[in-house]
Amino acid sequence: MALARPNPRRSLPVLPVLAATAALVAGALAAPAASAASGMPAASATSPAPAGEAPRTPTKTPVAVGYGGAVASVDADASAAGVEVLRKGGNAVDAAVATAAALGVTEPYSAGIGGGGYFVYYDAKSRQVRTIDGRERAPLSATKDLFLEKGHPLPFADAVTSGLSVGTPGTPATWDTALRSWGSRSLGQVLEPARRLARDGFTVDETFRKQTADNYDRFKDFPATAKIFLPGGKPPAVGSTLRNPDLARTYGLLADQGVAALYRGALGRDLVRTVRKPPVDPASGRVARPGDLTERDLRAYGARKQEPTRVSYRGLDVYSIAPSSSGGTTVGEALNILENSELKRLDQQTYLHRYIEASRIAFADRNRWVGDPAFESVPVQGLLSQRFADSRACLIKDGAVLTSPLAPGDPRRPGRACATGGRAAPTPYEGENTSHLTVADKWGNVVAYTLTLEQTGGSGITVPGRGFLLNNELTDFSFAPVSPGVHDPNLPGPGKRPRSSLSPTIVLEHGRPAFALGSPGGATIITTVLQTLLNHVDRGMPLGDAIAAPRASQRNAAATELEPGLWDSPLRGRLEAKGHVFKLNPEIGAATGVQRLPDGRWLAAAEKTRRGGGSALVVRPAGNPPVR
């Protein structure tokens, strides 16, 4: 594994953000979101509503510029919670936890204390990047046959909506570890905005209502879930106020007792009881299989502090999360594969072709080699070596298209050019509705944090009286070996963390932050982060435009997924003539990022339209960024 050390000897190439260039590049893809260079006014957080009044929903703005720190997330209330903590003197770690806790209220189908995630932190004082693996773990009793019945894999939907899918939650331990290690406020202090939001309620938008409606058939079968998310027996109306007093009380309990309330206390006992006997409505006819999570599993859980991954790209140092996530190794390998391509000089067709092929190759290697390093010998250093990337990059030909599933290379023996080793392993399905937040503070500290329940609504099971949904993260394991006869590093095991694609990323220039980003989206997270980074660094797009640009996602599959902006573009026909196969995906990812501008201001950027648009806020708005 590459050590987390910035490289002061490398020089940073100028990232062109001239308005004309940005418009030309973005226009070749689709109309860009309003960006730093577009004259959009900066945004700041709104004040909470006075007691007794309906909650005020902050305005969503995709780009904000100013001083004192910045927060970008998918939700306006959550970003406002983070900015509130920054305004009161908290640092980026404090604000990240506050934002995440608020997402547990307003984005409860994608985030919350029943799930897990990965936390990447840049410490401005030491100029070091630190990370926390807060991934959920399988019960200590789990075996490789966790999802087999009578020797056959369970249907995926049956596995998801069950106690079998629930791993030991890692989110509370992540918050506690981050605050104790690098924060300046107590857990109770940073939970307060979210506790208040759960108590007073938030305004339901179209995205929340649709996600609820999509889960109606599951949610209605669990009375504790229906009580909160199906008021009156149906999805809440757009514009209505949704309150979660149970979650407000749970946050109050965590504030008073700390995370021991979950890992060693009454909250944990309720969680275990729920997993072992899912509280399904007997009249529903639903079979919700019990899990084997125990209080011992909770006591044994620990968030894991570990070294980040690092690769150098165009003079930048790109840091991300190491296994158990595959995000850092896969994004890093793809960047290394593209290192010797002059992407900024290529026409759009050739650029997209090389990006797609690099993604295909990196996923072939990811599927074969990455799992939980506590159980698997993951060749991280080999996967991130330039020598291995060069041996794989020679597979890319501008006049031909590789065929998936592509066989992996062997990072342990990287010298054989264009060699593959073993049988191909297709990419299994991963739930796509995670949540990502990015935070910076006035001292220059930065956090990129991706947290998840796995798929929208997790397991669908709410802990009665506690107000939060449980994850279905264990379905990220392979139910059976993906390629029969080939070792699969992602089979279940006792206390094992399932492989993830979460890719929170921080990019440094000479040891200082250049920008940070991340996204939800299951396995598409990796390609979203990669493409956004390439759009910004190589294609010269402002960060907001790089996030807004239409996406392509190739994950060692027969077809590459395209968003409508590329599907409807002449580029699709030209790439199909070359041999590419595509299928339409209406929406890929929902990224956020922050960027340090040359004059010291922070730029926060979020989605313009994906998932209803994101929310970028700064502590003190200060006009638009300069055009360079």
Side-chain angles (χ1 to χ4, degrees):
M1 179 186 303
L3 295 178
R5 295 287 186 272
N7 189 341
R9 294 189 299 274
R10 293 188 177 272
S11 59
L12 173 67
V14 174
L15 303 181
V17 294
L18 292 174
T21 303
L24 181 64
V25 175
L29 292 167
S35 71
S38 69
M40 173 175 289
S44 63
T46 61
S47 301
E53 292 188 10
R56 299 173 183 171
T57 301
T59 301
K60 279 189 172 182
T61 307
V63 174
V65 180
Y67 298 99
V71 181
S73 80
V74 74
D75 180 75
D77 286 304
S79 294
V83 167
E84 178 183 331
V85 168
L86 291 176
R87 281 182 171 159
K88 293 179 178 179
N91 65 21
V93 173
D94 305 321
V97 175
T99 305
L103 287 170
V105 180
T106 60
E107 289 280 304
Y109 309 149
S110 303
I113 60 174
Y118 298 93
F119 193 101
V120 179
Y121 166 63
Y122 170 79
D123 186 306
K125 186 175 182 179
S126 67
R127 297 194 185 184
Q128 298 295 306
V129 176
R130 319 279 176 77
T131 74
I132 300 172
D133 179 336
R135 183 67 157 160
E136 301 87 340
R137 288 176 56 186
L140 295 169
S141 62
T143 71
K144 63 181 178 59
D145 299 329
L146 178 65
F147 291 112
L148 300 183
E149 278 191 2
K150 298 180 180 179
H152 298 285
L154 282 172
F156 188 78
D158 291 349
V160 167
T161 310
S162 76
L164 285 174
S165 72
V166 181
T168 304
T171 292
T174 301
W175 295 352
D176 185 64
T177 301
L179 291 171
R180 289 178 182 274
S181 300
W182 313 302
S184 67
R185 298 293 186 267
S186 69
L187 180 62
Q189 288 173 306
V190 301
L191 287 180
E192 177 54 28
R195 188 196 66 79
R196 190 173 63 237
L197 185 62
R199 180 198 66 198
D200 297 342
F202 65 96
T203 302
V204 172
D205 63 11
E206 181 57 42
T207 298
F208 187 91
R209 188 188 188 283
K210 182 179 186 305
Q211 289 179 341
T212 309
D214 289 345
N215 278 283
Y216 174 80
D217 287 341
R218 294 199 302 153
F219 286 3
K220 68 179 176 56
D221 292 346
F222 296 95
T225 303
K227 172 188 170 186
I228 299 170
F229 302 116
L230 298 174
K234 58 186 180 181
V238 174
S240 65
T241 298
L242 190 75
R243 297 177 174 86
N244 191 340
D246 288 347
L247 183 58
R249 286 189 290 271
T250 296
Y251 279 164
L253 180 67
L254 291 171
D256 291 340
Q257 299 182 10
V259 299
L262 188 144
Y263 295 104
R264 296 179 179 273
L267 180 57
R269 290 191 291 274
D270 287 351
L271 188 156
V272 166
R273 187 180 306 114
T274 302
V275 172
R276 297 181 70 84
K277 189 176 181 180
V280 65
D281 181 354
S284 69
R286 178 179 291 276
V287 176
R289 291 167 174 81
D292 198 33
L293 198 71
T294 67
E295 291 178 45
R296 180 186 171 212
D297 291 308
L298 297 183
R299 291 193 300 271
Y301 186 85
R304 190 161 60 194
K305 293 170 73 172
Q306 60 188 32
E307 292 292 314
T309 61
R310 178 180 64 83
V311 297
S312 295
Y313 184 73
R314 312 286 190 230
L316 298 164
D317 288 302
V318 181
Y319 292 83
S320 191
I321 192 73
S324 57
S325 182
S326 63
T329 57
T330 311
V331 171
E333 180 185 347
L335 290 173
N336 284 340
I337 288 170
L338 294 167
E339 177 74 43
N340 295 321
S341 292
E342 290 290 332
L343 297 184
K344 67 180 178 181
R345 302 179 186 276
L346 297 177
D347 61 86
Q348 197 69 11
Q349 174 185 329
T350 307
Y351 160 61
L352 285 170
H353 168 73
R354 293 192 189 177
Y355 152 70
I356 288 168
E357 297 293 70
S359 299
R360 188 193 314 270
I361 294 167
F363 263 92
D365 299 328
R366 171 252 199 200
N367 296 346
R368 169 62 184 86
W369 297 105
V370 180
D372 184 347
F375 291 79
E376 305 290 336
S377 179
V378 184
V380 174
Q381 186 172 354
L383 287 167
L384 292 176
S385 73
Q386 190 63 51
R387 185 182 180 195
F388 177 61
D390 291 344
S391 76
R392 301 290 277 157
C394 62
L395 293 169
I396 300 176
K397 309 296 182 185
D398 285 343
V401 176
L402 294 166
T403 300
S404 287
L406 181 72
D410 190 343
R412 302 168 303 179
R413 291 181 285 275
R416 299 162 57 205
C418 296
T420 57
R423 295 170 60 184
T427 303
Y429 172 78
E430 293 179 34
E432 296 187 352
N433 275 294
T434 298
S435 199
H436 178 81
L437 61 97
T438 322
V439 180
D441 65 28
K442 63 183 178 182
W443 298 283
N445 304 301
V446 176
V447 172
Y449 181 24
T450 315
L451 60 163
T452 180
L453 297 182
E454 207 274 342
Q455 73 171 46
T456 311
S459 65
I461 304 170
T462 296
V463 180
R466 300 300 190 175
F468 63 92
L469 286 156
L470 293 172
N471 69 82
N472 67 291
E473 291 296 351
L474 300 190
T475 58
D476 275 352
F477 282 122
S478 302
F479 288 18
V482 175
S483 297
V486 178
H487 175 70
D488 188 332
N490 193 41
L491 290 172
K496 190 175 183 179
R497 287 166 158 88
R499 182 174 61 205
S500 172
S501 296
L502 275 57
S503 310
T505 301
I506 296 178
V507 180
L508 304 186
E509 170 199 0
H510 301 315
R512 296 183 183 276
F515 61 96
L517 74 159
S519 177
T524 70
I525 293 171
I526 290 169
T527 56
T528 295
V529 169
L530 174 63
Q531 189 175 7
T532 303
L533 191 151
L534 296 175
N535 285 344
H536 184 50
V537 174
D538 286 296
R539 304 301 282 182
M541 295 184 189
L543 187 60
D545 292 350
I547 288 172
R551 295 179 183 135
S553 181
Q554 168 53 242
R555 306 185 300 280
N556 199 25
T560 299
E561 296 175 9
L562 295 183
E563 287 189 320
L566 286 172
W567 181 264
D568 298 331
S569 163
L571 284 169
R572 175 166 69 98
R574 295 200 289 269
L575 288 166
E576 286 174 334
K578 192 189 292 284
H580 286 278
V581 177
F582 297 113
K583 65 179 181 179
L584 180 64
N585 185 333
E587 186 175 275
I588 299 173
T592 72
V594 298
Q595 179 184 10
R596 191 66 181 258
L597 299 175
D599 62 2
R601 289 180 293 173
W602 285 106
L603 180 148
E607 296 287 356
K608 182 181 180 183
T609 59
R610 294 182 184 97
R611 288 217 354 214
S615 172
L617 296 175
V618 293
V619 174
R620 296 196 312 278
N624 295 316
V627 173
R628 288 190 286 149

